[in-house]
Amino acid sequence: MDFDVAIVGLGPTGMTLAALLAQQGRSVVALERYPGLYNLPRAAAFDDETMRTFQKLGVAEKMLPGTNVQSGYVWVNGQDDVLLDIQYDNPGRCGWPAQYMMYQPHVEQVLDELLRSSPAVDVRRGLTVTAVTDLPDGVQVEARHPDGSTHRVGARYLVGCDGGNGFVREHLNGVLDDYGFFENWLVCDFRLRRDVPGLPTFRQVCDPAEPIAIVNIGPEHHRFSFRLDADVSREDAVQPENVWPRVASFLTPEDADLVRVANYTFRSSIVDTWRRGRVLLAGDAAHQMPPFLAQGMVSGIRDARNLAWKVDMVLSGHAEELLDTYQVEREPHVRFITEKAIELGRVQTMRDVEQAKERDARMIAARKANRAPDKLRYPPLQGGLIANHGDLFPQGLVSTAERTALFDEIAGTGWLIVANGRGAFSAVSPDDQEAFAGLGGRQLAFGFAGMFGGAEISDTGGVYARWFADTGCVAAIVRPDSHVYGLARDPDELATLTKDLLGALGRP
């Protein structure tokens, strides 16, 4: 085979997956139908978990010029009464601010530069994939150049990151589970010429006459989205002379330039088959969701983070069944977010006037009673390669005798056993410790359990003393994607967990 992995589609999911695989030493060919970067904003935000992935790739700081840290999210009604005021954590559990508003072309430029600097990644643009052939030891991908000539390349695995209308989803011929949630929206993007006092940074206008989303999409850029009625002419709606009156309460042509107007139908669907043999799907090719939680791009990057280390291990000789855990773990997570986004979207865009009045009264009463809104927490992973727990291992500031940094910078992002005291490792057999090290695994110990002897790592930010106390464990096995494989309450349980993990992975 020419390459370890072929990736079709170079949006954020495909670029992240290619970069992660290259970081692990895998050869990647990436095929993209556009001759250059798309260069228009689509997604509006990402979270601290995504920034943790960018941190792993060494580009977190490079993302900052194209982002703004978002402190909160406000819902108002048609009379501008505040219905909900959500405050984002800073830092979030992954060590970065919980919400970034972004200018997507900048994010993609950073990732593109990363791929182009990597000798392990071969980016081939201007190619439209037309066929995929299964081979005994891989796949052959056939694509068409703009001049009509044929291009072929072979790889041991293929991942389709080419979106909901892409070729790879069609090739797998999976069944689409459609939630039946269709909404027609007008999306208007502006480039600001100056600061505009009072311009909302992240606001949902829950007006039954016309629901509106106002979103900052990174420095000097802003987005207004309007829910369109069925009888509105799409051709008329996208005309600039019809856009400016819609935003006149917030922006004028002296404040900003209108750079894009697009009519979108928000869809919600999940494919039932994310893998067949050596061909897999990730991102929008596997699932599409409405934007009300700003989790579409984020979910695709989670797919890439989940999949990259598993493909790497299989290529290293571990059982191919490890790839079966990908959809088992990711699909329930995606379904939770999709269903929650639909639920919130229906509340936000309620068109019945009387029902909207009842919603407003209920939410205003909760605010007056000082009932803080519940912060949405996404579920842990279950099944697959999860023994128990399955949540993200937090990232805080830690120190060693050499330096102070975020946890992943100190510990790395391979397999880890993180313990409260060295005694937690006492029941793990030398053979199993050696086998765990053979996975690239490391053992790290904090010193909360006792005062005798020093600790390898100090809890400078106070995150881990709280985490060990809250979970009641003495140790945790953490996967390369920072999800917790399992918690152990005592050394014997850690020994059992370690043996179970090694058995589940098999010996290459």
Side-chain angles (χ1 to χ4, degrees), residues 130-287:
T130 57
V132 173
T133 303
D134 296 318
L135 303 174
D137 59 346
V139 294
Q140 178 178 272
V141 184
E142 187 171 303
R144 185 178 63 251
H145 288 285
D147 64 6
S149 61
T150 298
H151 183 92
R152 294 184 180 88
V153 66
R156 293 178 67 184
Y157 289 91
L158 166 66
V159 185
C161 303
D162 49 342
N165 297 316
F167 178 86
V168 182
R169 175 199 277 191
E170 182 181 343
H171 168 75
L172 284 189
N173 197 30
V175 176
L176 198 64
D177 182 3
D178 197 316
Y179 280 85
F181 183 81
F182 301 95
E183 287 193 347
N184 188 25
W185 284 75
L186 182 71
V187 178
C188 312
D189 289 341
F190 297 84
R191 180 178 290 111
L192 300 178
R193 295 180 176 183
R194 59 192 182 192
D195 278 328
V196 181
L199 182 63
T201 59
F202 199 8
R203 177 178 295 187
Q204 188 72 37
V205 182
C206 306
D207 185 353
E210 185 177 54
I212 307 171
I214 306 171
V215 183
N216 167 250
I217 53 171
E220 300 178 1
H221 292 83
H222 230 75
R223 173 174 294 166
F224 287 76
S225 301
F226 302 89
R227 165 84 183 273
L228 296 180
D229 290 326
D231 59 352
V232 171
S233 165
R234 298 187 181 190
E235 292 75 15
D236 291 341
V238 299
Q239 298 305 312
E241 63 268 20
N242 296 324
V243 171
W244 284 108
R246 290 180 179 273
V247 302
S249 298
F250 302 96
L251 284 180
T252 70
E254 288 71 38
D255 297 321
D257 296 313
L258 178 60
V259 295
R260 186 180 71 132
V261 185
N263 182 242
Y264 280 113
T265 299
F266 295 159
R267 300 180 183 274
S268 304
S269 59
I270 300 174
V271 184
D272 72 337
T273 303
W274 297 16
R275 176 191 174 221
R276 184 168 290 127
R278 293 175 177 265
V279 181
L280 302 101
L281 301 177
D284 284 358
H287 45 77

Side-chain angles (χ1 to χ4, degrees), residues 81-93:
D81 300 315
V82 176
L83 305 178
L84 193 68
D85 188 353
I86 300 171
Q87 297 300 307
Y88 293 119
D89 293 336
N90 186 358
R93 62 178 170 170

Side-chain angles (χ1 to χ4, degrees), residues 149-449:
S149 61
T150 298
H151 183 92
R152 294 184 180 88
V153 66
R156 293 178 67 184
Y157 289 91
L158 166 66
V159 185
C161 303
D162 49 342
N165 297 316
F167 178 86
V168 182
R169 175 199 277 191
E170 182 181 343
H171 168 75
L172 284 189
N173 197 30
V175 176
L176 198 64
D177 182 3
D178 197 316
Y179 280 85
F181 183 81
F182 301 95
E183 287 193 347
N184 188 25
W185 284 75
L186 182 71
V187 178
C188 312
D189 289 341
F190 297 84
R191 180 178 290 111
L192 300 178
R193 295 180 176 183
R194 59 192 182 192
D195 278 328
V196 181
L199 182 63
T201 59
F202 199 8
R203 177 178 295 187
Q204 188 72 37
V205 182
C206 306
D207 185 353
E210 185 177 54
I212 307 171
I214 306 171
V215 183
N216 167 250
I217 53 171
E220 300 178 1
H221 292 83
H222 230 75
R223 173 174 294 166
F224 287 76
S225 301
F226 302 89
R227 165 84 183 273
L228 296 180
D229 290 326
D231 59 352
V232 171
S233 165
R234 298 187 181 190
E235 292 75 15
D236 291 341
V238 299
Q239 298 305 312
E241 63 268 20
N242 296 324
V243 171
W244 284 108
R246 290 180 179 273
V247 302
S249 298
F250 302 96
L251 284 180
T252 70
E254 288 71 38
D255 297 321
D257 296 313
L258 178 60
V259 295
R260 186 180 71 132
V261 185
N263 182 242
Y264 280 113
T265 299
F266 295 159
R267 300 180 183 274
S268 304
S269 59
I270 300 174
V271 184
D272 72 337
T273 303
W274 297 16
R275 176 191 174 221
R276 184 168 290 127
R278 293 175 177 265
V279 181
L280 302 101
L281 301 177
D284 284 358
H287 45 77
Q288 294 174 277
M289 61 187 67
F292 301 109
L293 284 172
Q295 287 284 304
M297 186 191 85
V298 170
S299 294
I301 290 176
R302 288 194 189 103
D303 292 346
R305 188 75 189 267
N306 186 290
L307 190 56
W309 65 270
K310 293 177 180 178
V311 171
D312 176 60
M313 292 195 74
V314 171
L315 288 169
S316 295
H318 292 270
E320 194 173 63
E321 285 74 20
L322 178 59
L323 298 180
D324 291 332
T325 69
Y326 165 56
Q327 183 175 356
V328 170
E329 292 172 2
R330 289 290 303 130
E331 184 181 347
H333 199 274
V334 166
R335 284 193 179 276
F336 174 89
I337 293 173
T338 301
E339 291 165 7
K340 185 61 69 174
I342 292 171
E343 176 188 329
L344 290 179
R346 285 175 174 154
V347 174
Q348 292 171 348
T349 64
M350 196 175 287
R351 306 308 294 269
D352 185 280
V353 174
E354 293 305 315
Q355 289 182 358
K357 286 181 179 178
E358 293 175 5
R359 173 203 63 197
D360 295 354
R362 183 175 64 254
M363 298 180 78
I364 290 171
R367 277 181 53 79
K368 288 182 177 179
N370 292 319
R371 292 201 297 271
D374 293 333
K375 291 185 177 179
L376 184 62
R377 289 293 298 265
Y378 301 122
L381 301 184
Q382 297 180 352
L385 194 66
I386 298 291
N388 60 57
H389 195 65
D391 214 337
L392 282 164
F393 189 68
Q395 179 173 224
L397 199 65
V398 296
S399 301
T400 66
E402 289 76 31
R403 61 178 177 142
T404 297
L406 288 171
F407 178 84
D408 292 357
E409 300 297 319
I410 299 291
T413 53
W415 285 99
L416 296 170
I417 301 178
V418 184
N420 181 2
R422 294 294 307 176
F425 303 119
S426 60
V428 182
S429 71
D431 285 348
D432 286 349
Q433 292 195 42
E434 182 179 353
F436 186 77
L439 299 175
R442 294 185 63 192
Q443 299 177 359
L444 288 173
F446 289 97
F448 311 125

